[in-house]
């Protein structure tokens, strides 16, 4: 799509407050493909004012009508699915097939789920002599990342709209074209002016202005834990609610009774998906020492197959970051069994799929989020040791457990300090709550739990 040269505010594309722009770069060939406005605090203020003006009317709109608008939005996204995929591929570098299936397909499913929830959710209930109402929290400031550009937008905007809130979105500066396409879809779906507003711009300028704006009642942010801390501190000073979906260092625990080959192959695929740019990726594979050497060999073989099947990382800074972690892993004594820091291409921000063996829990690559196609394989002695290692980071976002019997896997999963665990390769569920323990975040996204983040409670006693 061709970029708009303004901001989508109050139902129309309006000129930006300044003439500054942001280059949109294709990570595959490093070429500038378009430019979008660099929003300022003035643009954010205009958008927040539009959202506040639209709030009373949208909050009073019956849930059935809000559901109808969300269903219309889902339908528009369906008709534009190919364009969505092509846009994500152009600005993120994702292979087109993955963009079609995941980057376009998952947000459509999530939008549909919130259309249904808006119509079925009990916004009112009787509790003894009280009537309890769930009401929209107000104006939402949504700040989204580049790794799943449309999914992260829909996962915030759809429940906010379902709840009766109005929204100002500041998308990642690396993938703003997808956000502009979404704004077009909102307009086409007939969602009233001011209910959704878009300001493109840099995080330290537009994002910070949105987080600290007194007219914003809730800040919903997905990104790094470091930035999440800053947003939490800013919001806390104003006693403003936050929903934070942050980093991860998820463990893929393979118990001795599991199908080892299947668990390793699926685990490698999970890490390489989206070029490793997934906060919930199972980047630590935990294998019993008796099966360790076989698992390492299987993982190295599997990783080699992804050399020409994954796209680049998003930009030069991210490529340098991932390379530095690989170099640090080698320096700390981990053994490379696949890949390495050398680039597989002279053009584009590509990283060779990389697997480390002989990783110990205290190594940097076993503790910090790399956000690239890098897998660390660790040994454990028994289940208690595996639990200790799996829980031994500051994160707790996701994970996986493999065992011969489901009950064995579930019993182990219940001991993990993490928000979501896949059992024997369980499928993604767009209605299940997604979010983390510890420094992986505050609150939940998706499904009814995600909707509740955008609601506040009032009780009337009789």
């Amino acid at each position: 799509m061709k970029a708009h040269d303004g901001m989508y505010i109050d139902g129309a594309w309006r000129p930006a407050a300044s003439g500054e722009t942001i280059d949109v770069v294709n990570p595959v060939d490093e070429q500038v493909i378009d430019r979008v406005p660099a929003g300022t605090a003035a643009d954010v203020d205009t958008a927040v004012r539009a959202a506040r003006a639209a709030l009373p009317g949208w909050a009073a709109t019956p849930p059935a009508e809000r559901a109808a608008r969300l269903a219309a939005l889902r339908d528009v996204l369906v008709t534009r699915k190919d364009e969505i995929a092509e846009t994500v591929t152009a600005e993120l570098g994702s292979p087109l097939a993955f963009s079609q299936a995941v980057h376009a397909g998952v947000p459509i499913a999530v939008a549909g789920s919130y259309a249904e929830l808006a119509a079925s959710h009990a916004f009112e209930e009787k509790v003894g002599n009280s009537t309890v109402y769930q009401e929209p929290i107000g104006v939402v400031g949504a700040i989204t990342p580049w790794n799943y550009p449309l999914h992260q937008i829909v996962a915030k905007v759809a429940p906010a709209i379902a709840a009766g809130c109005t929204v100002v979105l500041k998308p990642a500066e690396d993938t703003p074209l997808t956000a502009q396409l979404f704004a077009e879809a909102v307009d086409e779906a007939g969602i009233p002016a001011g209910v959704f507003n878009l300001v493109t711009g840099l995080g330290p300028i537009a994002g910070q202005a949105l987080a600290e704006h007194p007219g914003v009642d809730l800040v919903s942010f997905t990104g790094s834990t470091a930035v999440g801390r800053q947003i939490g501190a800013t919001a806390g000073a104003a006693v403003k609610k936050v929903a934070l979906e942050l980093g991860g260092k998820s463990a893929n625990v393979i118990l001795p009774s599991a199908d080892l080959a299947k668990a390793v192959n699926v685990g490698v695929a999970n890490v390489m998906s989206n070029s490793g740019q997934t906060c919930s990726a199972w980047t630590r594979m935990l294998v019993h020492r008796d099966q360790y050497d076989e698992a390492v060999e299987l993982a190295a073989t599997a990783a080699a197959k992804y050399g020409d099947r994954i796209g680049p990382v998003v930009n030069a800074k991210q490529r340098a970051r991932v390379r530095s972690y690989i170099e640090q892993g080698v320096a700390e004594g981990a053994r490379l069994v696949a890949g390495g820091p050398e680039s597989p291409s002279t053009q584009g921000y590509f990283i060779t799929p990389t697997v480390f063996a002989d990783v110990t829990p205290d190594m940097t690559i076993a503790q910090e989020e790399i956000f690239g196609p890098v897998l660390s394989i660790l040994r454990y002695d028994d289940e208690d040791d595996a639990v200790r290692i799996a829980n031994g980071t500051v994160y707790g976002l996701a994970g996986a457990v493999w065992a011969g019997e489901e009950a064995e896997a579930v019993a182990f999963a219940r001991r993990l300090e993490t928000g979501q665990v896949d059992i024997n390769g369980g499928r993604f569920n767009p209605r299940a709550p997604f979010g983390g323990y510890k420094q992986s975040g505050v609150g939940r996204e998706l499904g009814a739990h995600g909707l509740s983040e955008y609601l506040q409670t009032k009780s009337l006693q009789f």
Side-chain angles (χ1 to χ4, degrees):
M1 65 168 286
K2 174 65 178 173
H4 292 271
D5 59 3
M7 310 295 184
Y8 184 77
I9 297 175
D10 204 19
W13 293 96
R14 303 178 184 277
S18 79
E20 299 295 320
T21 60
I22 299 169
D23 289 345
V24 183
V25 177
N26 186 326
V28 172
D29 59 16
E30 305 179 46
Q31 299 301 303
V32 175
I33 57 175
D34 219 324
R35 293 176 175 84
V36 299
T40 65
D43 296 303
V44 169
D45 183 65
T46 301
V48 173
R49 289 177 183 275
R52 290 225 71 87
L55 179 61
W58 187 245
T61 300
E65 175 57 24
R66 300 200 296 257
R69 291 305 94 211
L70 282 170
L73 174 61
R74 174 205 58 208
D75 292 345
V76 173
L77 294 176
V78 169
T79 64
R80 303 187 70 170
K81 183 176 181 179
D82 289 344
E83 185 182 3
I84 292 167
E86 291 164 3
T87 301
V88 174
T89 291
E91 61 183 357
L92 183 62
S94 169
L96 186 59
F98 188 81
S99 293
Q100 290 170 332
V102 177
H103 288 296
V106 172
I108 289 169
V110 173
S113 74
Y114 278 114
E116 296 173 6
L117 272 170
S120 63
H121 185 77
F123 290 93
E124 175 183 338
E125 65 173 329
K126 289 287 187 179
V127 180
N129 65 309
S130 302
T131 301
V132 179
Y133 297 92
Q134 291 187 315
E135 301 178 343
I137 199 164
V139 174
V140 173
I143 303 173
T144 57
W146 43 261
N147 60 326
Y148 289 91
L150 185 59
H151 168 61
Q152 297 289 356
I153 290 171
V154 172
K156 298 182 188 303
V157 175
I161 289 176
C165 297
T166 56
V167 183
V168 178
L169 168 68
K170 205 299 287 184
E173 50 264 36
D174 290 289
T175 53
L177 302 181
T178 302
Q180 288 193 343
L181 193 157
F182 178 77
E184 293 178 356
V186 166
D187 196 77
E188 189 175 341
I191 293 173
V195 171
F196 171 81
N197 306 273
L198 170 67
V199 176
T200 53
L202 300 175
I205 298 173
Q208 182 68 19
L210 184 58
E212 63 189 17
H213 197 291
V216 171
D217 301 294
L218 162 67
V219 180
S220 180
F221 168 78
T222 296
S224 72
T225 297
V227 176
R229 289 193 195 100
Q230 296 173 10
I231 289 175
T234 298
V239 196
K240 184 183 301 186
K241 184 178 179 181
V242 294
L244 304 174
E245 198 269 281
L246 307 176
K249 195 67 183 176
S250 301
N252 178 20
V253 183
I254 305 174
L255 297 177
S257 62
D259 180 334
L260 183 65
K262 180 178 181 181
V264 170
N265 285 320
V266 174
V268 170
N270 177 277
V271 173
M272 302 306 159
S273 178
N274 208 39
S275 304
Q277 300 169 126
T278 304
C279 54
S280 57
W282 311 333
T283 51
R284 294 180 298 149
M285 182 180 288
L286 276 58
V287 184
H288 191 276
R289 64 172 54 255
D290 291 344
Q291 299 174 314
Y292 188 81
D293 291 342
E294 183 182 358
V296 168
E297 184 177 346
L298 287 167
T301 300
K305 299 176 182 178
Y306 287 88
D308 57 357
R309 289 164 57 182
I310 65 172
V313 293
V314 69
N315 56 35
K317 181 180 178 180
Q318 186 65 18
R319 179 181 60 186
R321 169 189 167 90
V322 176
R323 282 177 171 174
S324 71
Y325 272 112
I326 296 173
E327 291 167 352
Q328 190 165 6
V330 173
E332 292 183 6
R335 176 167 55 98
L336 273 173
V337 296
E342 298 80 13
S343 177
S345 172
T346 57
Q347 187 179 51
Y349 308 126
F350 290 91
I351 295 287
T352 304
T354 297
V355 177
F356 278 105
D358 300 337
V359 179
T360 58
D362 60 324
M363 288 182 179
T364 302
I365 58 172
Q367 289 291 322
E368 297 185 12
E369 184 176 47
I370 298 172
F371 228 61
V374 181
L375 171 65
S376 296
I377 310 180
L378 297 88
R379 294 178 179 85
Y380 69 85
D381 294 323
D382 53 30
E383 287 197 12
D384 288 342
D385 191 37
V387 169
R388 177 186 62 81
I389 295 170
N391 291 339
T393 76
V394 297
Y395 298 112
L397 185 57
V401 181
W402 300 78
E405 297 293 334
E406 183 178 290
E408 181 187 5
V410 169
F412 186 93
R414 293 297 302 273
R415 300 175 68 187
L416 297 180
E417 297 168 351
T418 190
Q420 194 170 67
V421 184
D422 293 345
I423 302 297
N424 289 337
R427 293 180 294 109
F428 174 74
N429 180 359
R431 292 177 177 271
F434 181 84
Y437 288 25
K438 300 187 285 188
Q439 292 187 28
S440 284
V442 177
R444 293 294 182 268
E445 292 188 329
L446 305 180
H449 292 81
L451 178 62
S452 69
E453 296 292 333
Y454 299 90
L455 295 167
Q456 55 190 348
T457 304
K458 176 185 292 178
S459 65
L460 276 60
Q461 283 61 248
F462 296 90

